Amino acid sequence: MARFKFDGRDRRGKRQGTINAGSRREAMLKLKDEGIRVIEMKEIPETLMTKDLTFGNPVKLQHFVIYLRQFATLLKAGVTVVEATSVLAAQTESKALKKALLDVEQALREGNPFSESVSKYKKIFNPMFINMVKAGEVSGNLDDTLEKLADDFEKQHDTRSKVVSALTYPAVIGILAIGAVIFLLVGVVPTFVTMFADMGAELPGITKFVLSASEFMQKFWWLVVLIILAFVSSIMYMKKNKKTKYYLDYFLLRMPIFGNMMQKAALARMMRTLASLFSSSVPILQAMSIVEKVVENEVIAKVIRESRDSLEKGRSMTEPMNDHWAFPPLVTQMISIGEGTGALDSMLSKIADFYEKEVEQSTDRLKSLIEPIMIVFLAGIVGVIVLSIMMPMFSMFDQMS
């Protein structure tokens, strides 16, 4: 929602004020319904206090896929682009998409092409979407293009969901483990300190270690919180900065167990996007530039830039890929075959299909392996703390008997 300041008139005379609306046109219509004739209207700039803070795309991928499906269906039914945009703006569940579509509708009514109208919202409509829509407008097959986009985005969403699902479980167990350790060190262990002091006996090494950790946690808990916040802030900064993001992505791709799965997911996204752009007759150099922006991995993006430079010099796009560890021989060989046979889009789609299945199988295997490992890990940490408390108590009972 945007906020607009207006000057106008009604039957009682001059009117001034502000109004909330999804777009300038919606604000005008609201005021018209109230009997106010608008003389001047200005949008009030958003501030940190009023705007919605979002990171990355503010529209969930599943909402965007639904929008594409419905848009294609309406166009096939003979509904105009303007009316379809109006209908979809009214029924979408995403506030960010609703606001964008209301502005797009206004731009369409002013005579602008759809591809130009959506280009203002690059966080929602990425370069791949804009260029494929532009190609669909030129060819007159915008409905087919939207259906293809919906299929591609849906596959990307499924792949991303599987990766996120595989990473979520160990992250949740890790957080629970940290919480359990902090609770035991701060809330439970200190109650036994006086009892152990009264015993006067030599404590086991493991008990001394846990008591020291408990004392440290009670005195410097704020330092632990600061370290966690600093770590999270560092990761967020690295993701925003292009140079540091390269090293973060390199680490993630090289990470044991999860790295291979994330590499396959990145390759699947790259190949799926390239295949879609080629099939929509987007020029190859332009397609490579678009994929570089949407692949979301700086290690892969660097190789794409080198491949584009190789194409500009009249060489094969696979030359930089052959020398890079992130691109298995299967990828480069199939791309080379596609270049030689003139069926590059088809070959890229097959590579994407292959790696999407690989990601699905990898996540299924990881889930079955990680669950027992993480349970043992959590039980081991808690068990060590409990054992450190119980061992002196057993010694005390032996002495009493």
Side-chain angles (χ1 to χ4, degrees):
M1 279 286 178
R3 193 167 181 81
F4 298 89
K5 183 179 180 180
F6 68 89
D7 291 318
R9 297 185 68 88
D10 61 6
R11 293 179 179 179
R12 292 176 291 178
K14 289 185 178 181
R15 290 287 302 274
Q16 290 182 328
T18 60
I19 185 170
N20 293 322
S23 66
R24 183 185 179 88
R25 177 174 175 269
E26 184 180 337
M28 298 277 282
L29 290 173
K30 282 184 177 181
L31 292 171
K32 184 180 178 181
D33 291 340
E34 294 176 13
I36 299 173
R37 181 170 61 86
V38 177
I39 299 172
E40 186 180 3
M41 178 178 287
K42 292 181 180 178
E43 184 174 353
I44 300 173
E46 291 182 320
T47 65
L48 287 174
M49 297 296 293
T50 60
K51 75 176 184 178
D52 296 328
L53 296 176
T54 55
F55 301 94
N57 195 325
V59 179
K60 292 181 180 179
L61 199 51
Q62 59 264 40
H63 290 160
F64 196 67
V65 170
I66 292 170
Y67 157 71
L68 291 174
R69 294 271 185 224
Q70 293 174 337
F71 198 3
T73 302
L74 289 171
L75 293 183
K76 285 183 180 293
V79 180
T80 65
V81 174
V82 179
E83 293 304 319
T85 302
S86 177
V87 170
L88 295 171
Q91 68 180 37
T92 182
E93 296 179 15
S94 170
K95 292 182 179 179
L97 184 57
K98 177 184 179 68
K99 182 179 183 300
L101 291 178
L102 288 170
D103 284 348
V104 169
E105 180 193 350
Q106 179 64 27
L108 289 169
R109 293 187 185 280
E110 292 171 0
N112 297 300
F114 180 72
S115 56
E116 184 181 321
S117 302
V118 297
S119 61
K120 178 183 174 183
Y121 295 92
K122 289 186 171 60
K123 280 192 174 181
I124 298 174
F125 305 98
N126 65 26
M128 171 192 169
F129 176 88
I130 294 169
N131 281 272
M132 285 187 64
V133 164
K134 193 177 293 183
E137 288 175 332
V138 172
S139 64
N141 296 319
L142 184 57
D143 52 350
D144 293 332
T145 300
L146 290 168
E147 275 198 348
K148 183 169 180 54
L149 279 166
D151 290 337
D152 292 342
F153 278 115
E154 196 166 33
K155 288 174 182 176
Q156 289 180 21
H157 172 63
D158 290 342
T159 303
R160 181 180 295 177
S161 298
K162 289 181 176 68
V163 174
V164 170
S165 176
L167 296 174
T168 298
Y169 187 80
V172 170
I173 295 297
I175 292 170
L176 289 174
I178 293 171
V181 169
I182 292 174
F183 170 74
L184 289 172
L185 292 178
V186 176
V188 177
V189 173
T191 60
F192 292 89
V193 172
T194 305
M195 184 180 68
F196 292 156
D198 293 340
M199 287 170 55
E202 181 68 21
L203 297 175
I206 188 172
T207 305
K208 290 180 179 178
F209 173 77
V210 170
L211 291 177
S212 299
S214 175
E215 185 180 357
F216 175 84
M217 187 65 70
Q218 291 177 74
K219 290 182 178 179
F220 301 104
W221 60 268
W222 53 269
L223 182 60
V224 176
V225 174
L226 282 178
I227 291 171
I228 294 172
L229 290 175
F231 176 75
V232 173
S233 300
S234 299
I235 296 296
M236 291 176 65
Y237 172 79
M238 290 180 73
K239 288 181 72 175
K240 289 182 179 179
N241 187 292
K242 197 170 185 178
K243 290 183 179 179
T244 53
K245 189 176 186 302
Y246 176 87
Y247 296 105
L248 179 62
D249 289 337
Y250 183 93
F251 169 76
L252 292 174
L253 292 179
R254 287 292 199 182
M255 191 168 52
I257 303 175
F258 298 102
N260 185 255
M261 178 184 65
M262 297 180 77
Q263 177 189 356
K264 292 173 180 177
L267 288 173
R269 181 180 177 84
M270 172 190 169
M271 299 305 162
R272 179 67 62 197
T273 306
L274 267 179
S276 299
L277 291 167
F278 287 159
S279 64
S280 298
S281 303
V282 176
I284 187 167
L285 292 176
Q286 186 180 350
M288 297 291 282
S289 298
I290 293 168
V291 174
E292 178 193 338
K293 295 175 184 176
V294 303
V295 74
E296 297 181 355
N297 186 292
E298 283 301 315
V299 175
I300 304 294
K302 184 181 178 183
V303 181
I304 294 171
R305 285 194 293 273
E306 293 171 355
S307 295
R308 187 186 62 216
D309 294 340
S310 179
L311 284 169
E312 287 178 338
K313 294 173 183 176
R315 299 198 295 265
S316 170
M317 66 184 289
T318 58
E319 282 189 19
M321 298 178 188
N322 284 323
D323 301 326
H324 201 278
W325 55 267
F327 289 81
L330 171 71
V331 173
T332 54
Q333 289 170 8
M334 291 187 72
I335 291 176
S336 296
I337 293 170
E339 285 181 316
T341 58
L344 187 55
D345 55 342
S346 174
M347 201 61 69
L348 290 168
S349 292
K350 290 179 180 178
I351 299 173
D353 290 338
F354 173 77
Y355 279 114
E356 283 164 358
K357 289 179 182 177
E358 283 283 298
V359 169
E360 184 177 358
Q361 293 172 0
S362 297
T363 53
D364 290 341
R365 286 195 298 267
L366 276 174
K367 285 178 183 177
S368 61
L369 289 172
I370 287 175
E371 187 170 352
I373 291 173
M374 294 305 294
I375 290 173
V376 170
F377 169 73
L378 179 58
I381 291 177
V382 176
V384 166
I385 296 175
V386 173
L387 184 63
S388 69
I389 296 172
M390 297 303 295
M391 285 177 66
M393 295 181 69
F394 288 143
S395 300
M396 182 177 67
F397 293 148
D398 289 340
Q399 291 175 5
M400 291 174 61
S401 60

